[in-house]
Amino acid sequence: VDIVLNANPRWNAQGDIVGVVGVGQDITNKRRAMEADAQLSRSRAANDAKSQFLANMSHEMRTPLNGIIGVNQLLLQTTLDLEQRELAMLIQSSSDSLLNLINDILDLTRVESGKLELEYVDFDVVNVVEDALDSVSLLASNKGLEVVSILDPSIPCMARGDADRLKQVLLNLLSNAIKFTTEGEVRVKVQLMKSDEKAFSIEFGVTDSGIGI
């Protein structure tokens, strides 16, 4: 228990001290609240420092990685034999995966700082799905897996939202599916759930024949 004591001397008529008048106040709850506030401030400062470090590190990593991707794309445009092209494609696939990981780290720091904003632009749903499948096709092929897509023909050609975030989610799901599948297939199913004059809802599903996570 934390107590604050205030004491004052008591005088008699002759001016002599004959006693002490004291008042004690229990400040236990107040001190605990102050300590909790101080701990919260330290935690926030540490979290901000971590987020800033991750953001800086991610930006620093993207610069040389983009250089590797660019040079490798130029390499793919030259005359290569089959083995050289396969190796160059592997570099491309690995670089894309690393770039996606860096983007995930950047998104994490934005989420923690409350700065992640979604875009609302028109995009082609089928193109986004096909781009995601193309990004993992080599990885699946190297494991002998088949990637199958089932697209509902009633899906509207254009949607409005954040195409980059949608592709990122699909890539994460596809990468995990391929990682934990040794044989068989990975399937992407896109279907229209409901639609009216103002909006429509699309469900994206990724299934695999693996053991799961």
Side-chain angles (χ1 to χ4, degrees), residues 12-140:
N12 61 13
Q14 289 75 35
D16 299 324
I17 297 176
V18 296
V20 176
V21 177
V23 177
Q25 180 182 6
D26 186 351
I27 61 168
T28 303
N29 293 333
K30 184 177 180 180
R31 181 178 292 275
R32 288 176 180 173
M34 293 174 62
E35 291 176 350
D37 289 341
Q39 180 62 36
L40 180 60
S41 297
R42 289 193 294 268
S43 298
R44 286 176 176 172
N47 189 64
D48 290 343
K50 180 195 71 174
S51 297
Q52 187 62 44
F53 169 75
L54 290 174
N56 292 339
M57 180 191 69
S58 300
H59 283 297
E60 292 296 329
M61 291 175 64
R62 288 183 66 169
T63 301
L65 181 57
N66 285 328
I68 294 173
I69 293 175
V71 172
N72 192 66
Q73 290 175 345
L74 294 175
L75 178 62
L76 287 169
Q77 296 175 8
T78 62
T79 302
L80 302 173
D81 60 34
L82 181 60
E83 182 179 2
Q84 291 171 334
R85 184 163 295 277
E86 288 181 353
L87 292 174
M89 290 298 295
L90 182 58
I91 294 175
Q92 186 72 31
S93 176
S94 300
S95 299
D96 289 339
S97 298
L98 182 56
L99 184 59
N100 290 329
L101 177 60
I102 293 173
N103 288 334
D104 288 343
I105 295 174
L106 281 173
D107 285 343
L108 175 62
T109 61
R110 290 175 184 143
V111 169
E112 290 181 342
S113 61
K115 296 180 180 179
L116 179 64
E117 297 181 358
L118 297 178
E119 293 183 347
Y120 291 93
V121 296
D122 294 331
F123 67 93
D124 190 314
V125 177
V126 176
N127 283 347
V128 171
V129 175
E130 290 179 347
D131 287 345
L133 293 174
D134 289 341
S135 298
V136 299
S137 60
L138 180 60
L139 181 62

